[in-house]
Amino acid sequence: MTYTAEEKDGVHAQKSRLAIRAQKGKDWDGSAANDNIAWPLATSLIREGNTELLKAAFAYRKIHDQANSGALLGGRTASIGDGMALDRYSYVRPNGTVVYKHPRQKKSADVDIPAKRYVAPPSYDGIDHSSEEVKVSNWSNIPKPYNGDEPVNRKLDAQSKLIELRGRLGVLVEPLEMAAVDGATYQEIGNASGIADRNGSIAAGRAIVHMALLAIRDALGDVRRSDLAA
């Protein structure tokens, strides 16, 4: 194909642009980013099509995470790194409207200092708000939303369940947690069991982990979707 003198510069510019674009992503291996699951056990079980053991692995991992969640009863105290929080005094007028006054600065966590609300008597407009007697007698705490102790309850339940499952697993606890919690491969588990040969260690690791997951599946019974939800 031939070009006129006027076209040559434009064609050259387009070819250069396309060549630069062609360099982008030339090192792509052809697999999508979400194909690379950072959990070798799940990847292997998905490849095998073993959904039953995959559900057991997810369930064990969730129980282990909840048992070690670090949830505390009643929240926690404030630390220096938390900084300071600001809130405002609120006033409720006799007609039901709420007005907000000057902010106050708190030097501890919200769980330690509840918000305050001043409920004005019918003669609100005639009250001297600088009077401490009036303010003390009409202030009340605003109830804080109570979310319950569900995180702590889940943690305690999971700890009991984890103890029970570990008792069923016996010597299989360590290899299972290497695979389900720590993300070890079949080969690494086989190597930890004393097999140095690559193919032999993969086969041994797979057999050990599958035996452990079978025990978990039988102990947990029917694992539903709600059991695996975060």
Side-chain angles (χ1 to χ4, degrees):
M1 182 178 293
T2 59
Y3 303 98
T4 64
E6 293 79 9
E7 294 174 332
K8 284 183 179 180
D9 290 341
V11 171
H12 177 72
Q14 291 297 323
K15 286 185 176 180
S16 298
R17 182 180 65 82
L18 293 173
I20 293 172
R21 287 183 61 86
Q23 295 299 313
K24 295 181 179 180
K26 66 178 182 178
D27 56 344
W28 182 48
D29 60 3
S31 62
N34 57 2
D35 290 341
N36 303 317
I37 300 175
W39 188 14
L41 176 59
T43 304
S44 300
L45 293 173
I46 291 171
R47 188 183 301 117
E48 297 168 10
N50 199 330
T51 57
E52 289 299 312
L53 296 189
L54 181 62
K55 289 191 292 185
F58 269 109
Y60 188 88
R61 184 166 177 158
K62 179 184 177 183
I63 292 171
H64 186 278
D65 289 345
Q66 287 183 341
N68 296 276
S69 66
L72 298 176
L73 186 63
R76 63 178 181 83
T77 57
S79 62
I80 295 177
D82 292 332
M84 297 182 182
L86 291 175
D87 73 344
R88 290 183 176 274
Y89 290 103
S90 59
Y91 295 79
V92 181
R93 287 176 170 167
N95 61 5
T97 60
V98 179
V99 293
Y100 298 94
K101 298 296 182 180
H102 60 280
R104 65 173 177 166
Q105 191 176 54
K106 299 180 296 180
K107 298 183 179 180
S108 60
D110 289 344
V111 70
D112 298 323
I113 300 181
K116 295 282 188 178
R117 170 164 289 174
Y118 174 72
V119 180
S123 57
Y124 172 84
D125 294 330
I127 285 181
D128 178 8
H129 296 289
S130 63
S131 170
E132 291 298 324
E133 180 180 355
V134 172
K135 289 193 173 186
V136 170
S137 61
N138 290 280
W139 280 110
S140 63
N141 291 337
I142 299 176
K144 300 180 75 63
Y146 181 65
N147 298 324
D149 299 318
E150 186 178 353
V152 177
N153 293 336
R154 286 200 304 262
K155 174 184 175 181
L156 296 176
D157 292 342
Q159 286 177 339
S160 299
K161 193 66 177 178
L162 187 61
I163 292 173
E164 177 187 347
L165 293 176
R166 283 173 169 171
R168 285 176 175 262
L169 288 169
V171 296
L172 297 176
V173 170
E174 184 175 354
L176 175 63
E177 293 193 351
M178 285 180 63
V181 178
D182 301 328
T185 62
Y186 287 152
Q187 183 177 357
E188 291 170 337
I189 295 168
N191 290 338
S193 301
I195 302 175
D197 174 69
R198 180 181 181 276
N199 292 333
S201 62
I202 293 175
R206 181 179 181 274
I208 293 171
V209 172
H210 278 221
M211 283 191 295
L213 290 176
L214 286 170
I216 296 298
R217 183 199 64 182
D218 295 342
L220 295 178
D222 182 28
V223 178
R224 297 165 296 179
R225 182 178 299 180
S226 59
D227 298 325
L228 304 178

